Amino acid sequence: MQAPTDNPADDASAAGSAGPSPLRRAARWWPAAVLLLLFTAPFSTLPLPGLLDGPPGSPGSLQLLALCMVFGALATGYDLLLGRTGLLSFGHALWFAAGLYATDIAMLELHLGLLPAALLGTAFAVLLALLLGSVSLRVTGIGFSMVTLAFAQAGSILVQRDPGGLTGGEEGRSVPADRLPGALVGIGNTANLYWIALGYLVLTLVVVHRAVHSPAGRVWEGIRENERRVEVLGLRPHGFKLAAFVLAAALAAVGGVVYLLVSGGATPQAATSDFTLSLLVMVVLGGSGTRWGPLLGGVLYTWADHRLGDLANSDAVRGLPAVLRVPLSQPLFLLGALFVAVVYLLPGGAVRLPARIREARAARSGRSARPERSGRSADRTDQPDQTADRTAGGTTA
């Protein structure tokens, strides 16, 4: 048996080397606990006032939660470009809209079922991303951003012009209910759509995690830090960037299919550059380049976008003076204020909040412990002086 040491720091290091505590080991399973909680949400009747209009299992709450998961997954896929590879794309909405409209058109015009239409829509978006990505990635920096923005604007104009009556123009087109399985039609089956959105979120998280920790993911990190250094190592950054570009586009296209089911139709707002800017805000809000930050930012942004609209139209805001009522009645103003506050108070995104709290506690405990240590040292330094005084006094006597 090992004898205890006189130094508490040695005992602490010995205890730490024995392995993590049971509490730390249990904390590693929190994603599984959250997943189980989300999976059982349709069966919950617990009211959550302020967060949701009704119980989590009500159709309205399930649809809002499904949208939060869809946009959280979209932000996670977009962060493959922004946070992992260092590519600022302003045209990510094009791939989302391609999967959304191509699937809807395949069901309406080609009379295909949901699964064949979804596969066709996703394949169309991937091929389009492969073609346009090869062109866009020939330039770097702001040039790449402008080229992707130009392609996205062309797609948005094409959707609004309604060529051949395929896109529905400004009105959009609804999903054909007769082409969907019966389990996905009607308010009573909202839970099934919710589970599809949850499955898309899990799929995106798994794909992004595996891709980031693959050899290609390490090259993406090198490209983000210093692309020239990657070239010196004998690698071709263009191919790796194109792989990240196409993978992010594929995830966005699948998200378009899921959004088509959850929202019940395709609208031209999904193809605008504002949609890409919303994804950019989500990523920055949650924390770019982190595992959970984009997901958190997407969920917070989508939830706030819906809930702040209710707050802006509430009686409490209507009763305020005009100087407060006018800005607070605009949901975009509230979203902008929330975004500025998070960016200013939490550099690195909302995902850094737990670390900030731990740092603040450590700093506070360090400040409180420092005077105690100085007090004890002062007591120890006073003792020789007191002994010297007594000695001097005895000698004098």
Side-chain angles (χ1 to χ4, degrees):
M1 183 178 67
Q2 183 180 1
T5 62
D6 294 334
N7 191 350
D10 295 340
D11 295 338
S13 61
S17 62
S21 63
L23 183 61
R24 286 177 176 267
R25 287 196 296 266
R28 295 175 181 176
W29 293 94
W30 71 264
V34 173
L35 178 61
L36 179 62
L37 185 65
L38 291 175
F39 184 81
T40 57
F43 306 106
S44 175
T45 58
L46 179 67
L48 297 175
L51 294 178
L52 299 172
D53 287 333
S58 61
S61 298
L62 285 179
Q63 186 177 31
L64 175 57
L65 292 174
L67 289 174
C68 288
M69 290 188 293
V70 168
F71 285 103
L74 286 171
T76 303
Y78 178 71
D79 194 52
L80 269 177
L81 299 178
L82 179 63
R84 303 296 184 175
T85 318
L87 297 175
L88 178 57
S89 171
F90 287 151
H92 203 67
L94 180 59
W95 324 125
F96 177 81
L100 173 69
Y101 272 96
T103 302
D104 196 22
I105 292 173
M107 286 191 291
L108 287 170
E109 304 297 334
L110 303 180
H111 307 291
L112 297 178
L114 174 60
L115 184 58
L119 293 175
L120 181 61
T122 304
F124 171 74
V126 169
L127 291 176
L128 186 63
L130 183 62
L131 175 62
L132 300 184
S134 301
V135 177
S136 303
L137 290 170
R138 294 188 178 277
V139 293
T140 59
I142 193 64
F144 168 78
S145 302
M146 292 298 100
V147 171
T148 55
L149 176 62
F151 284 136
Q153 285 295 98
S156 178
I157 294 174
L158 184 65
V159 167
Q160 293 181 1
R161 291 292 178 84
D162 190 20
L166 295 176
T167 63
E170 297 181 355
E171 300 297 328
R173 302 190 72 174
S174 61
V175 62
D178 57 336
R179 295 293 172 184
L180 297 177
L184 302 180
V185 179
I187 298 179
N189 292 318
T190 307
N192 296 329
L193 299 175
Y194 168 86
W195 282 320
I196 291 176
L198 178 60
Y200 168 61
L201 173 61
V202 173
L203 173 66
T204 302
L205 290 174
V206 171
V207 170
V208 170
H209 179 71
R210 296 292 296 271
V212 167
H213 290 84
S214 66
R218 297 184 181 92
V219 178
W220 293 339
E221 184 178 357
I223 293 173
R224 182 191 63 191
E225 298 297 333
N226 193 324
E227 184 174 346
R228 183 64 60 85
R229 189 172 298 173
V230 174
E231 294 178 349
V232 172
L233 293 175
L235 300 174
R236 297 183 60 186
H238 182 272
F240 288 96
K241 291 192 293 185
L242 182 60
F245 192 89
V246 173
L247 179 59
L251 293 174
V254 176
V257 176
V258 177
Y259 181 81
L260 176 68
L261 298 176
V262 174
S263 63
T267 57
Q269 286 75 20
T272 61
S273 57
D274 293 342
F275 185 86
T276 301
L277 292 178
S278 298
L279 292 178
L280 178 60
V281 171
M282 293 175 193
V283 171
V284 175
L285 182 65
S288 178
T290 60
R291 183 176 183 181
W292 307 108
L295 169 61
L296 178 61
V299 171
L300 286 177
Y301 183 93
T302 307
W303 174 84
D305 188 25
H306 287 75
R307 297 299 295 166
L308 291 180
D310 298 337
L311 175 63
N313 298 322
S314 63
D315 295 334
V317 174
R318 293 194 189 98
L320 294 174
V323 66
L324 296 176
R325 184 182 67 253
V326 173
L328 292 181
S329 61
Q330 302 296 326
L332 289 179
F333 173 83
L334 299 176
L335 275 176
L338 175 63
F339 175 72
V340 172
V342 171
V343 171
Y344 180 75
L345 299 175
L346 292 173
V351 74
R352 304 291 186 186
L353 179 60
R356 292 277 179 177
I357 294 176
R358 288 194 298 267
E359 292 173 1
R361 288 179 176 176
R364 190 161 51 247
S365 61
R367 286 194 301 266
S368 61
R370 208 171 289 121
E372 296 178 1
R373 289 195 296 269
S374 61
R376 287 195 298 269
S377 61
D379 293 339
R380 286 194 297 269
T381 56
D382 288 344
Q383 289 177 358
D385 297 337
Q386 295 173 1
T387 305
D389 292 340
R390 287 195 298 269
T391 305
T395 305
T396 306

